[in-house]
Amino acid sequence: MKLLIINSGSSSIKYQLLAMEKEAVLASGLVERIGEAMGLIKCTFYPDTPEEHKKSREEPIANHKEGMLKVIDLLCDPKDGIIADTREINGIGHRVVHGGEDFHQPTLITNEVVAAIEKNIPLAPLHNPPNLDGIRVARELFPQAPQVAIFDTAFHQSMPARAFLYALPRELYEKQRVRRYGFHGTSHAYVAAECAKMLGKPLDDCNLVTVHLGNGSSMTAIENGKSVDTSLGMTPLEGLVMGTRCGDVDPALHLFLQQNLGMELPDIDRMLNKESGLKGLCGMNDLRDIHKAVAGGDQWAQHALSVLCYRNRKYLASFLAVLGQVDAIAFTAGIGENDPVVRAESLRGLHNFGIVLDQQLNEARSRTARCISAEASKIKIFVIPTNEELAIARQTARLISG
Ligand code: AMP
């Protein structure tokens, strides 16, 4: 079974073609700068040889349909493509950011499903429209292939009301569906399943805290395999300190900024999403640059690192309280997988909670899933590389093969 996984953004399409028998990636790539003067199409083929084969083309790409057609050209190139015909593709999995309360699981896409994703646009005005573009184009260009929507919010639909309700006038929830939804669900679910394998017990018997630290970050409390709380809220802004997003702030901040600085709401929104977080504190949002600056004595880089790790620690301790008993904590994504300093600082001083890191294991570099806790640690600490495309592909395969 060959599946195409599509993550369609406002000016980009990320894609991966997988052969599910061996869960092997056949091709992966990115269409960038859609709608701009010059676009870029990148593709890497992984043929059955040790050599990867990279291709890239620069040309204008007017819209998502044109972008997808160019991807098809590359994949089906008679000279050196990886498939002969698009009819070889047995199914398509689409990443969709917001499923609201309508979607609790992967869903076969029909006209009704498209309408329900459209209905949720007010909850994700930047993400759901380009996700829908990708769906519409793929339904047109691959009419024979069943298409599946995998929602970032779905895994967190198991949260109880005490975790998902904001303490706001209840009409806001009843009429507008203002509540906490959570995101990165595909990553948290994938990492939780891998954690269960490493613990050697069924996922339904596992209590976990999964810590996704990338440019966007979130932490999830998982009880008996199900999400019971997560740090991102109604939008992907709440919770942890992120690359350019602030995470938790006092909700009265908006009023202060408007009254004292004359800022308009769109400016405030841009500031909190694009100019805050690590970047707001020290001008950089890549941890690798921040570590170099810290080594050079940059005080604000040090503040940025400290605020990030302190917030992680606070959330982690609160999720230990949510769960009571925890089998494992798992770090994932760009920072979680690669940054031993952030991991160590985020766990500092938690010995009394049964969390003891093995410094050497923490610092050893590896691309594979591993345990980094000391023998004495009651709670296991894992690093588990996330693989959202594979997670989407597995769910798509499961659904279309019934
Ligand atoms: P992601 O969103 O998961 O791709 O993560 C991107 C972020 O991971 C970057 O902005 C970096 O801050 C961080 N990152 C990636 N590689 C490393 C590394 N080797 N060491 C520290 N941080 C890293």
Side-chain angles (χ1 to χ4, degrees):
M1 179 191 281
K2 290 193 180 100
L3 297 179
L4 182 65
I5 306 308
I6 295 179
N7 183 353
S8 174
S10 57
S11 63
S12 67
I13 305 169
K14 220 170 139 186
Y15 62 92
Q16 209 172 84
L17 181 69
L18 295 104
M20 293 310 288
E21 290 71 22
K22 291 187 180 165
E23 294 192 335
V25 178
L26 300 176
S28 71
L30 185 63
V31 182
E32 285 180 281
R33 305 201 290 265
I34 296 173
E36 291 181 27
M38 189 53 78
L40 179 65
I41 310 132
K42 287 197 258 188
C43 187
T44 305
F45 292 143
Y46 306 90
D48 238 357
T49 65
E51 293 284 302
E52 285 177 12
H53 177 45
K54 284 188 197 294
K55 280 185 170 188
S56 78
R57 266 169 32 190
E58 264 199 306
E59 49 197 84
I61 306 159
N63 51 40
H64 285 71
K65 182 172 173 185
E66 224 179 277
M68 207 59 235
L69 281 168
K70 288 178 195 294
V71 172
I72 293 174
D73 274 355
L74 284 176
L75 296 177
C76 302
D77 190 325
K79 252 198 347 264
D80 57 358
I82 202 102
I83 51 173
D85 192 288
T86 53
R87 278 168 298 186
E88 279 183 43
I89 295 173
N90 307 101
I92 302 197
H94 294 270
R95 180 180 182 198
V96 181
V97 166
H98 219 306
E101 291 187 322
D102 296 310
F103 299 104
H104 296 226
Q105 53 208 7
T107 304
L108 208 56
I109 297 176
T110 59
N111 292 342
E112 290 71 35
V113 169
V114 169
I117 299 172
E118 263 172 356
K119 193 191 83 191
N120 284 311
I121 286 177
L123 294 170
L126 298 180
H127 294 99
N128 274 20
N131 294 163
L132 277 166
D133 282 342
I135 290 174
R136 289 200 184 96
V137 166
R139 289 181 90 196
E140 187 186 335
L141 300 181
F142 305 92
Q144 86 296 345
Q147 317 234 351
V148 175
I150 312 287
F151 298 91
D152 266 19
T153 47
F155 181 58
H156 303 299
Q157 277 297 300
S158 47
M159 282 196 286
R162 63 175 179 272
F164 76 65
L165 285 176
Y166 289 117
L168 292 168
R170 65 191 249 195
E171 297 75 29
L172 277 177
Y173 172 61
E174 289 173 335
K175 300 209 175 103
Q176 308 292 331
R177 292 289 169 239
V178 170
R179 51 158 284 180
R180 309 184 62 254
Y181 289 95
F183 298 88
H184 297 144
T186 308
S187 175
H188 288 291
Y190 175 84
V191 169
E194 294 300 303
C195 255
K197 282 188 209 159
M198 291 183 70
L199 290 165
K201 53 182 189 170
L203 179 58
D204 291 355
D205 292 344
C206 293
N207 279 12
L208 309 165
V209 180
T210 47
V211 187
H212 178 113
L213 302 177
N215 211 17
S217 297
S218 64
M219 199 179 289
T220 296
I222 296 170
E223 187 171 44
N224 298 325
K226 299 213 160 42
S227 170
V228 290
D229 203 350
T230 192
S231 60
L232 289 169
M234 176 167 129
T235 74
L237 188 57
E238 194 177 329
L240 307 179
V241 175
M242 304 177 229
T244 63
R245 291 178 243 162
C246 58
D248 292 342
V249 289
D250 189 326
L253 176 68
H254 285 66
L255 190 65
F256 175 89
L257 295 172
Q258 190 245 328
Q259 285 184 338
N260 294 282
L261 303 181
M263 286 176 77
E264 305 277 352
L265 280 177
D267 299 327
I268 297 174
D269 191 54
R270 196 187 54 249
M271 186 187 87
L272 299 182
N273 276 292
K274 302 236 154 60
E275 295 154 14
S276 297
L278 296 171
K279 189 172 180 202
L281 283 167
C282 72
M284 294 167 270
N285 61 338
D286 192 310
L287 251 305
R288 289 162 288 198
D289 299 330
I290 293 175
H291 287 305
K292 277 187 212 141
V294 169
D298 182 331
Q299 196 196 354
W300 279 98
Q302 182 60 61
H303 282 320
L305 189 58
S306 304
V307 173
L308 175 95
C309 296
Y310 177 73
R311 181 84 53 89
N312 289 346
R313 207 152 71 231
K314 235 163 88 161
Y315 260 90
L316 179 58
S318 73
F319 282 176
L320 297 180
V322 164
L323 294 169
Q325 177 272 327
V326 175
D327 299 296
I329 296 163
F331 287 91
T332 194
I335 301 169
E337 291 166 29
N338 295 303
D339 196 320
V341 176
V342 168
R343 290 193 298 255
E345 281 301 300
S346 302
L347 300 173
R348 191 156 58 83
L350 298 180
H351 296 72
N352 287 338
F353 291 83
I355 298 169
V356 190
L357 196 62
D358 180 311
Q359 294 300 345
Q360 250 180 334
L361 292 178
N362 182 41
E363 273 157 38
R365 295 219 147 261
S366 164
R367 293 207 166 273
T368 54
R370 56 204 185 270
C371 177
I372 56 168
S373 47
E375 282 289 325
S377 191
K378 285 205 192 100
I379 299 177
K380 296 265 185 237
I381 309 164
F382 296 139
V383 176
I384 298 184
T386 194
N387 190 338
E388 290 174 87
E389 285 79 13
L390 179 58
I392 291 175
R394 281 181 183 166
Q395 296 181 56
T396 303
R398 215 172 295 139
L399 193 68
I400 63 181
S401 48

